[in-house]
Amino acid sequence: MPRSTLLTAALRRQLLLNGHKSRSQPDFDPVPVVKLFTPDGSATWLLTELNPDNPDLAFGLCDLGLRSPELGYVSLSEIASIRGRLGLPVERDRWFCTTEPLSVHAGLG
């Protein structure tokens, strides 16, 4: 699945904007912009920003289904190459909507 199907142009713009804000505002705690998941597995990614210097790198809360979510950077191209147990590709949750910042989702706030 090409990464262009994981993120719309509008989501990509917001993620990049958050990446720039994160650099200039050390206490920036953005709301997750997009949720990606494996439909035939239990991996989930709540992404808040893209690295402006390398837009393949996204930051967010990553849970590979092992009950130990972590904050960190992930490669969108690597996520796009993942297949679940039935061979299904990662999907974007088109109905994902939250108003809570990432720190709340990560259990830090």
Side-chain angles (χ1 to χ4, degrees):
M1 170 186 283
R3 73 177 182 181
S4 61
T5 59
L6 289 177
L7 301 177
T8 64
L11 291 172
R12 187 173 293 282
R13 279 192 299 275
Q14 184 60 52
L15 289 164
L16 281 168
L17 177 64
N18 285 353
H20 286 289
K21 284 183 183 178
S22 181
R23 284 185 172 175
S24 63
Q25 301 172 21
D27 295 331
F28 184 54
D29 187 13
V31 171
V33 174
V34 65
K35 175 183 176 182
L36 304 177
F37 67 98
T38 51
D40 57 349
S42 52
T44 305
W45 298 266
L46 296 180
L47 304 178
T48 58
E49 63 192 74
L50 291 176
N51 181 321
D53 296 327
N54 181 357
D56 183 55
L57 290 179
F59 183 82
L61 184 64
C62 309
D63 184 351
L64 299 180
L66 304 173
R67 297 183 182 233
S68 57
E70 295 182 7
L71 292 171
Y73 282 92
V74 295
S75 164
L76 290 176
S77 56
E78 286 184 25
I79 290 175
S81 71
I82 294 172
R83 298 293 178 268
R85 285 174 273 190
L86 301 175
L88 298 175
V90 172
E91 294 183 15
R92 175 174 38 90
D93 183 341
R94 297 172 197 272
W95 296 275
F96 175 72
C97 182
T98 185
T99 57
E100 297 176 319
L102 187 62
S103 61
V104 171
H105 290 277
L108 303 173

